[in-house]
Amino acid sequence: MGVSIREAAGTIPSQRQLSWQELEFYGFIHFTVNTFTDQEWGNGDESPSIFDPRELDAAQWVEVCQSAGMKGLILTCKHHDGFCLWPSAYTGHSVKSSPWKDGQGDLVREVSDACRAAGLKFGIYVSPWDRHEPSYGSSPEYNTYFVNQLRELLTNYGELFCVWFDGACGEGPNGKRQVYDWDAYYGIIRQHQPNAVISVCGPDVRWCGNEAGHTRTAEWSVVPASMKDNEKIQANSQQADDREFAKRVGSENDDLGSRRILADTDEVAWYPAEVNTSIRPGWFYHSSEDDLVKPLDELMDLYERIVGGNSAFLLNLPPDQRGLIHENDARRMRELGERIREAYQTNLAAGVRAV
């Protein structure tokens, strides 16, 4: 049994996967009520009244991303606390109940418009886990709620390059654990955004297995199809507000696609890797971390190992309470962009013939 080298070599990406991989480097924006409570994970009982970023400038976020050479941006439209950065028709726990722009704001709109104006691809993160929504844990009812919210995001903000799901799955207010209807989630994404990859808990892009920027020596795109098992992905994902989780560098397996692995595999799939980490220790902004922005050499090493190692690099940039990416982060991103351009502005392979 096993998969032959010919079979593995004949496994090819979909067009959406190919278009995604050509981006190579893109940004993550974590911004919600947590930014105002100085927390990483919210409990779901935060008042929308605390959300008031009075200097918010989505164009500044986009400019910072582009200064580093990023080609896309993913916005956390809803984190585990359930607060929605768009005025969802299905809950009052959103920007429409906040003082920001007198409840008339739509942050997803502002970021998507800023991305498109600058030629940056736009993607969304939506947490299936919702610590605010009362129906969470009542599986069919909540799944309907979540699909309705997905539909809003998929149909109101133009073309998306990515829909990003993590595997967090906690108990609901009723003490029950939610059973996610992944098939329904994937179905509505394919219906409304057929060109978007579905990442991490999804069939198109896999998680590298850690949040510290750790990469394997060989990051294969053709891997055992069993790696798409969402139950296993969820089990390995962060399940509690544990700051140590982001520091873990281990992966579930250092060898995913060698001939030895293929010999023990009955089915393979094109399932390329994304490596995600934050420019700071946390994913959300904390003023105590203003002097803990990753050094330039470390970011450059990450870029070369990740992008050069057959993965995509997703780097988080958390805006502060003003609604701006902090000056230290912005400066470091400009420095990174300059370093990358200096190193790779000349294509040494252009015009070269293989002999």
Side-chain angles (χ1 to χ4, degrees), residues 26 72 93 118 136 147 156 159 179 183 190 192 242 262 264 269 332 341 347:
Y26 43 95
H93 197 56
Y136 187 90
V147 167
N156 290 328
E159 184 168 2
V179 178
D183 288 341
R190 294 293 195 233
H192 294 294
D242 175 11
L262 294 179
D264 294 328
R332 189 56 39 80
R341 286 187 291 273
N347 183 355

Side-chain angles (χ1 to χ4, degrees), residues 243-312:
R243 295 296 293 271
E244 294 301 312
F245 186 88
K247 301 177 184 178
R248 300 175 191 172
V249 299
S251 300
E252 71 277 9
N253 194 327
D254 285 335
D255 181 2
L256 300 180
S258 70
R259 295 189 180 197
R260 180 182 65 82
I261 294 296
L262 294 179
D264 294 328
T265 302
D266 292 330
E267 182 183 3
V268 292
W270 188 281
Y271 200 30
E274 175 188 83
V275 178
N276 62 316
T277 192
S278 183
I279 197 169
R280 292 165 171 248
W283 288 89
F284 288 92
Y285 175 82
H286 309 284
S287 60
S288 61
E289 297 178 351
D290 284 349
D291 295 326
L292 298 177
V293 175
K294 281 183 169 56
L296 176 58
D297 287 346
E298 181 179 348
L299 288 170
M300 189 64 184
D301 176 66
L302 282 167
Y303 176 85
E304 292 186 324
R305 284 191 293 105
I306 294 168
V307 177
N310 193 39
S311 300

Side-chain angles (χ1 to χ4, degrees), residues 3 40 52 56-57 59 78 83 99 103 121 126 140 201 232 242 248 273 298 304 329 352:
V3 173
E40 282 290 289
D52 194 15
L56 193 146
D57 185 357
K78 184 184 80 164
F83 183 77
K121 300 290 187 182
V126 199
C201 268
K232 293 179 181 177
D242 175 11
R248 300 175 191 172
E298 181 179 348
E304 292 186 324
D329 308 59
V352 176

